[in-house]
Amino acid sequence: MQRPIFYRQLSNKIAERFRPAADDAQPAAFSLHQRIARVREQLSQRRTRVSFIVVFFILAMLWLTQHNNDNLIEQALPLPKTSVIEMNDARLENLSSKSAATTHEQTAQQKSEVRSTLSNANTQAIQLAVKGDVTKATTQLENALLADPQAGPVFENLRKLYAGFAAQSYQLAVASNKQQPITVELNDAKQTYTVNLPLLATNTNERRTLANADNNNAEKITTTENKTEPSTTTVNVATNTPAPTPTKVANVAPAVVAPPAPVKAPPPPPLTAAERREINTAVMAAVKRWSEAWSQKDSKAYIQAYAPNYAPKTMTHKAWVAYRTERLAAPIFIKVELADQKAILLDPTHVRVSFLQKYTSDLLSAKNQKTLELELINHKWLITSESER
Amino acid sequence: MADHFRIGTLTRASLAALLLGLTSAQAYGIMNPEQMLAQAVAEINAQQQTQALDTLNQLIALYPDFQLAQLMRADILYAQSHLLTKMGQAVDSATVENLQAEANARLSAVKQPQEDKRPSYLLAVPTWLSHIIAVDLSESRAYLFALKQNNMRFVTSFYLTQGKLGAGKEKEGDKRSPIGVYELTAPIPANKLTSFYGAGALPLDYPNTWDKRKNRSGHGIWLHGTPIGQYSRPPKASDGCMVFSNDDLQQIMKTVNWQKTLVVTDNPLKWEDAETMNEAKNQLQQRLEAWRNAWQSQNGTDYLNFYADNFIGGNGENKAAWSERKTKLFSYHRPHQIEISDPLIIRYPGEQGIAITTFNQTYIREGTKTVERKRIWWQRQNDQWRIISEELVS
């Protein structure tokens, strides 16, 4: 269940770069389980790892002997096949922190009392769930969190935000072009705040770009559309705006003209989905060429997949070229397979791609999670950084 | 998976199959939107909501108008604060039912045929034929094959939308997609169409000779794209056209030459081993050769015996008129030579015992050669293939 640290970092980056604007305010962890874990963590910051592990082992033994009956029940009443849910019993941690609390100040003791109510509820919920009453267990967990003076409001606000985000996506699921603004009311101890969630990105930009790009045909298309298509207002509005500057010029011009202008240059328009797709395709093709060059032991093509003067931290470019050329020549055969490629658009000319790399040669086979950063240099996507774990 | 798709009801076995299918499909290259969707479902089923949300966020960043992806993203977020028991539980809309059906079709369809199986229709492949699009209307799926002689290579498969009332078109306005074998006519580019058709259209030659014989009506059955702002449409939503996502349609238009491509549709599509298909092929090939021989030797009885009582010629002649004309021609005993080459042999979908042979026919008499393309329709009658239609095609 717990994801590798790398993947969590990756997800943060995706959250920043690819997630629709609405998610900006949203922390990285999503699962209820993880959120509860986090609340718990905040409440016991002073837990020491060593005592935790020792106490864990002792209690694990105790717990196992005590709960043999529960295990029997679990075997007799298996949960539905498809949803074996892992639930963690916090009692162990709780006790560990209790033992730690004896050495701490009163505040810590109070905190741990709060936690003990929560973790008792957790234990009860697990017992209910193991016995098959999963619905009751869920209510129990929910109520415990909501009733908690500290975690309760946090949990409730979080739920409201999630529900708000969900509502946005539901809107687009039901009608991809109709989006009403969604507001969420968040509470702290003193007052209620009304928050407007930013609209989710849709294809509106793309629609405009298409209409502009097709300027020659624009008139013809809009007239035919007007006859049969009631929902083309966006297209019509877009084409009626003053003649748009071609995209190419728009990209170059500000760089030349902007410096003397004292006013802030407007931020570049966000990429449309179509542009993102184009970048995605080009980057993935570049990564594929890189892996193929490697597989074919084609060191020239392999090195050309990197930026000119590319060098890892530990060596010079020249040394790296020599090293890689040698490494590619050494085995009789090399096979590099990639899976689960995911791309994160850092900006229009920088992309981070991560994937599972399966390397096989007559000398070695290895599976790595690899991350490449590519930059658009002279219209080519070239590797500027490479790391793996 | 006949019932509505539910998060969490995929069995472990099918999940494993899904994952295996995925890894092989994406060993190289990019995941397509449908593969990303399948990955998200696999992640949901493995209780990796965070990964699933990542995957879906990426997917909707690339395809914000992929409604099914939006619905699944919404469901994951909704499930953070509510007990979610079925897909789209939080919204009461007919759209959700359509999206459930789409999820079902996209995720449960066989995306790649078994290696030794091929659609059981194409028995002999002529040199001019480069692609076949085999549509399984029961699975909302089109399989694209590249052909080289008798070597048939699976390229990829696509989700598609068919008529609101399903398969088996009979008459104009019945909101059904036809079952049959069709040629494509010239593609219509997007800029000649309203935005409703998306990336463009590849029209089918429905109704074909067989359709007309069965008094099937209607026209304008196209393969086309989706409107801008709608990545895909529900499995049954068109007036009879077959609708693909714009990416998929563009891939089809880029890959196939419309003059060298056939579209075969059936409900469901039948798959068969190449070997057993060879038997059927030989039978028809021999029959065709026997017909050529009878014609060349001008043996009136033998020759006319090939023609069924319900024969209708390309110019509308019935069996009696045809017999009379042919008997008269044969009575002149003018020597001629007939050659047949490069035959296309097809077992017709949705029918018991209907076959088509299309071939180049070289007719030589007194040193004059006439080369034409001829199509003969055969029907199995009393255990023998008999000709029910004969026409020249362009």
Side-chain angles (χ1 to χ4, degrees):
Chain A
M1 280 291 286
Q2 195 66 17
R3 300 178 313 151
I5 292 164
F6 164 78
Y7 200 94
R8 258 179 280 153
Q9 286 165 345
L10 185 64
S11 109
N12 290 347
K13 290 298 175 188
I14 294 170
E16 281 165 28
R17 298 294 172 183
F18 258 123
R19 184 166 296 139
D23 293 353
D24 281 353
Q26 188 177 334
F30 294 100
S31 80
L32 190 55
H33 166 68
Q34 279 173 333
R35 304 319 311 272
I36 297 168
R38 181 178 282 197
V39 171
R40 227 193 272 142
E41 225 170 74
Q42 283 166 354
L43 288 173
S44 70
Q45 285 163 343
R46 302 211 176 164
R47 182 174 60 202
T48 60
R49 218 181 171 77
V50 179
S51 73
F52 170 76
I53 291 168
V54 172
V55 175
F56 177 87
F57 270 105
I58 298 167
L59 289 167
M61 300 303 288
L62 274 173
W63 188 82
L64 276 174
T65 46
Q66 275 178 6
H67 284 75
N68 260 345
N69 289 342
D70 287 357
N71 287 344
L72 286 176
I73 290 166
E74 188 177 355
Q75 280 157 18
L77 292 168
L79 291 173
K81 232 194 289 177
T82 50
S83 54
V84 177
I85 300 164
E86 290 177 25
M87 291 179 99
N88 292 348
D89 189 342
R91 178 168 20 171
L92 310 174
E93 286 177 51
N94 178 41
L95 284 174
S96 84
S97 84
K98 256 187 188 166
S99 69
T102 55
T103 61
H104 291 314
E105 301 301 317
Q106 215 185 353
T107 44
Q109 221 163 5
Q110 283 171 343
K111 277 180 189 174
S112 95
E113 268 162 33
V114 168
R115 285 194 58 224
S116 98
T117 325
L118 276 180
S119 58
N120 284 343
N122 193 30
T123 310
Q124 284 168 19
I126 291 172
Q127 281 168 353
L128 282 169
V130 166
K131 283 171 190 156
D133 204 341
V134 189
T135 317
K136 221 176 197 172
T138 312
T139 322
Q140 170 95 14
L141 288 171
E142 246 175 26
N143 289 345
L145 269 175
L146 287 172
D148 189 276
Q150 288 192 359
V154 176
F155 181 54
E156 202 160 358
N157 283 341
L158 185 61
R159 277 169 49 130
K160 283 180 185 163
L161 282 170
Y162 281 143
F165 296 139
Q168 286 189 307
S169 261
Y170 279 132
Q171 281 186 352
L172 292 184
V174 171
S176 59
N177 52 357
K178 280 179 205 153
Q179 202 179 166
Q180 306 289 333
I182 299 274
T183 57
V184 176
E185 290 188 349
L186 301 178
N187 297 306
D188 67 7
K190 292 169 203 147
Q191 64 180 102
T192 302
Y193 304 83
T194 306
V195 176
N196 294 317
L197 299 184
L199 290 183
L200 277 182
T202 60
N203 265 5
T204 342
N205 286 338
E206 183 180 331
R207 214 171 296 187
R208 187 163 49 238
T209 321
L210 278 183
N212 288 348
D214 228 5
N215 236 358
N216 294 342
N217 298 318
E219 204 175 321
K220 184 171 65 195
I221 291 172
T222 42
T223 47
T224 45
E225 272 174 358
N226 286 342
K227 275 180 200 158
T228 50
E229 282 286 293
S231 64
T232 50
T233 18
T234 333
V235 178
N236 293 340
V237 170
T239 39
N240 287 342
T241 51
T245 357
T247 340
K248 267 185 196 166
V249 180
N251 279 344
V252 178
V256 186
V257 183
V263 207
K264 257 194 206 166
L271 289 175
T272 63
E275 285 164 339
R276 280 196 293 265
R277 282 204 290 273
E278 219 170 86
I279 292 174
N280 194 40
T281 311
V283 168
M284 290 303 184
V287 172
K288 191 181 166 194
R289 278 197 300 276
W290 164 81
S291 73
E292 281 171 353
W294 194 359
S295 288
Q296 287 154 12
K297 305 195 343 148
D298 182 348
S299 53
K300 199 180 160 198
Y302 175 83
I303 283 157
Q304 277 174 358
Y306 291 79
N309 297 322
Y310 167 85
K313 277 178 193 141
T314 48
M315 54 182 102
T316 64
H317 175 68
K318 216 174 156 188
W320 172 79
V321 169
Y323 170 71
R324 292 311 295 164
T325 310
E326 188 206 315
R327 294 312 305 154
L328 259 64
I332 299 166
F333 78 88
I334 298 178
K335 199 170 128 196
V336 181
E337 290 169 295
L338 311 182
D340 291 345
Q341 295 96 325
K342 286 190 182 180
I344 311 157
L345 190 59
L346 303 174
D347 66 48
T349 57
H350 292 83
V351 168
R352 183 175 300 152
V353 186
S354 65
F355 46 84
L356 188 70
Q357 172 185 296
K358 195 176 150 207
Y359 174 96
T360 322
S361 76
D362 48 318
L363 305 173
L364 172 78
S365 65
K367 262 189 189 174
N368 287 312
Q369 185 67 37
K370 182 163 271 189
T371 303
L372 298 177
E373 281 189 18
L374 291 95
E375 186 182 341
L376 190 62
I377 303 170
N378 284 333
H379 310 291
K380 276 186 199 151
W381 286 99
L382 300 174
I383 300 165
T384 54
S385 131
E386 178 173 356
S387 60
E388 65 184 31
R389 43 165 277 132
Chain B
M1 297 240 347
D3 58 334
H4 280 168
F5 167 85
R6 282 173 184 209
I7 293 178
T9 56
L10 286 178
T11 64
R12 297 242 150 162
S14 70
L15 175 67
L18 203 64
L19 283 169
L20 283 175
L22 266 178
T23 17
S24 65
Q26 51 170 275
Y28 274 115
I30 326 154
M31 271 196 274
N32 66 36
E34 192 175 73
Q35 287 168 333
M36 287 176 88
L37 197 77
Q39 167 150 327
V41 171
E43 284 162 345
I44 291 170
N45 282 294
Q47 294 179 34
Q48 299 168 328
Q49 302 94 311
T50 321
Q51 281 98 322
L53 195 57
D54 280 350
T55 307
L56 289 169
N57 280 334
Q58 276 210 43
L59 178 52
I60 65 166
L62 298 173
Y63 298 89
D65 55 353
F66 194 173
Q67 289 164 277
L68 181 54
Q70 292 281 7
L71 182 71
M72 283 175 48
R73 178 182 186 267
D75 273 349
I76 293 180
L77 289 163
Y78 177 84
Q80 304 299 316
S81 56
H82 298 79
L83 191 62
L84 183 76
T85 54
K86 90 181 218 278
M87 192 177 201
Q89 174 193 318
V91 267
D92 181 22
S93 160
T95 315
V96 170
E97 263 167 55
N98 285 334
L99 292 175
Q100 282 170 347
E102 183 182 339
N104 213 358
R106 281 185 180 277
L107 298 170
S108 68
V110 177
K111 303 198 176 62
Q112 199 164 357
Q114 285 175 30
E115 209 157 281
D116 49 346
K117 301 275 184 195
R118 41 166 72 182
S120 72
Y121 312 94
L122 195 57
L123 300 179
V125 181
T127 50
W128 57 267
L129 190 64
S130 73
H131 287 91
I132 164 171
I133 301 170
V135 176
D136 190 332
L137 292 166
S138 73
E139 289 225 304
S140 301
R141 199 116 199 129
Y143 302 85
L144 176 62
F145 289 90
L147 304 165
K148 211 168 210 181
Q149 301 294 358
N150 271 324
N151 178 21
M152 199 166 182
R153 183 174 58 83
F154 169 70
V155 180
T156 186
S157 72
F158 309 101
Y159 164 83
L160 62 81
T161 296
Q162 61 186 299
K164 289 185 190 82
L165 296 180
K169 188 164 195 64
E170 289 296 337
K171 55 176 191 277
E172 177 144 28
D174 67 2
K175 313 232 180 278
R176 288 177 188 273
S177 297
I179 292 173
V181 178
Y182 301 99
E183 289 179 2
L184 295 170
T185 61
I188 310 171
N191 60 14
K192 292 266 165 63
L193 294 165
T194 71
S195 68
F196 178 76
Y197 299 98
L202 288 164
L204 302 184
D205 69 344
Y206 175 92
N208 63 23
T209 307
W210 179 250
D211 292 323
K212 284 175 194 153
R213 270 186 85 128
K214 295 206 109 183
N215 290 321
R216 290 175 183 156
S217 59
H219 61 92
I221 301 295
W222 295 355
L223 313 183
H224 64 77
T226 57
I228 289 167
Q230 192 174 17
Y231 173 77
S232 75
R233 292 175 59 190
K236 291 184 177 177
S238 77
D239 287 345
C241 286
M242 284 165 263
V243 187
F244 296 76
S245 82
N246 289 326
D247 282 9
D248 292 349
L249 189 83
Q250 271 164 350
Q251 191 184 344
I252 295 171
M253 287 174 111
K254 240 189 263 171
T255 314
V256 311
N257 177 337
W258 63 273
Q259 287 161 307
K260 300 180 174 179
T261 302
L262 284 177
V263 178
V264 179
T265 63
D266 204 352
N267 185 41
L269 202 67
K270 289 166 195 71
W271 301 87
E272 202 173 327
D273 292 333
E275 254 174 52
T276 58
M277 285 167 72
N278 255 340
E279 280 170 39
K281 171 191 166 182
N282 291 340
Q283 212 179 45
L284 276 155
Q285 232 163 12
Q286 282 160 16
R287 192 71 180 146
L288 185 63
E289 170 56 23
W291 165 82
R292 187 202 65 83
N293 202 31
W295 184 17
Q296 182 166 278
S297 60
Q298 309 198 31
N299 182 331
T301 327
D302 274 7
Y303 173 78
L304 289 171
N305 204 22
F306 277 89
Y307 292 84
D309 291 340
N310 57 345
F311 171 82
I312 299 172
N315 47 7
E317 285 171 306
N318 62 12
K319 171 94 188 262
W322 181 270
S323 303
E324 194 184 328
R325 186 162 64 87
K326 288 291 179 177
T327 312
K328 195 172 171 191
L329 281 170
F330 288 172
S331 71
Y332 302 141
H333 296 291
R334 288 184 301 205
H336 63 186
Q337 200 185 333
I338 294 131
E339 286 163 14
I340 284 174
S341 65
D342 212 15
L344 161 71
I345 305 181
I346 285 175
R347 236 180 336 197
Y348 204 78
E351 299 287 348
Q352 290 294 320
I354 294 287
I356 315 171
T357 54
T358 309
F359 47 88
N360 292 334
Q361 169 185 297
T362 311
Y363 184 89
I364 308 164
R365 193 175 64 206
E366 290 161 2
T368 315
K369 255 192 196 181
T370 316
V371 183
E372 284 162 315
R373 189 178 285 179
K374 182 172 271 185
R375 182 179 295 146
I376 292 182
W377 292 74
W378 303 82
Q379 188 169 39
R380 193 104 177 130
Q381 296 179 354
N382 302 326
D383 260 1
Q384 187 58 279
W385 287 108
R386 289 187 202 281
I387 297 171
I388 53 164
S389 174
E390 183 174 327
E391 60 196 345
L392 291 174
V393 289
S394 50

